Amino acid sequence: MKPDLLHALFHDLQAYGSVRLKKSKLLWMLGRVLETPTVWDMLMREWAEFGQTKPLYGFQHGDEITLAVQASEDIGARWTTRREPAQRPVPLLQHLEPAAA
């Protein structure tokens, strides 16, 4: 296990709110080669030993893992129900000819 690298990852999580990395790199930091059912528990124990009491969330897409300190929300539902106020068109300025002297 690479506790110093895990703690650096946790500092980034605190600073930025989320971190994305290759699954193989996270497994390597945890001293594992293959994904097993206990890997997430191992990561949670390290998170708790780092002094965190709030949960850590994870999302896997392909070969990448996104870790976040806040649950993701369904932005699609919010975006489809949110209505922006209609903007009035900006009036065009009329071209004025200079007055004859």
Side-chain angles (χ1 to χ4, degrees):
M1 185 176 309
K2 316 276 188 268
D4 52 333
L5 295 177
L6 283 170
H7 287 197
L9 177 73
F10 295 157
H11 280 290
D12 287 348
L13 274 166
Q14 285 180 320
Y16 303 113
S18 67
V19 174
R20 185 174 65 181
L21 69 158
K22 296 280 188 186
K23 181 170 72 171
S24 59
K25 186 172 185 175
L26 181 59
L27 290 172
W28 172 76
M29 287 179 180
L30 292 167
R32 298 293 178 102
V33 176
L34 301 174
E35 181 181 346
T36 63
T38 60
V39 171
W40 186 257
D41 293 333
M42 182 184 291
L43 182 62
M44 292 299 98
R45 278 193 305 275
E46 289 298 317
W47 179 246
E49 286 180 20
F50 185 66
Q52 296 300 311
T53 56
K54 56 186 173 185
L56 184 62
Y57 300 92
F59 173 75
Q60 181 176 346
H61 182 72
D63 65 340
E64 292 185 330
I65 300 283
T66 300
L67 298 173
V69 294
Q70 191 171 12
S72 63
E73 57 184 82
D74 183 5
I75 61 172
R78 194 177 81 208
W79 285 4
T80 57
T81 59
R82 184 175 175 192
R83 299 288 182 238
E84 296 292 329
Q87 293 183 356
R88 290 184 278 158
V90 177
L92 298 175
L93 296 177
Q94 296 178 351
H95 178 70
L96 300 175
E97 293 293 326

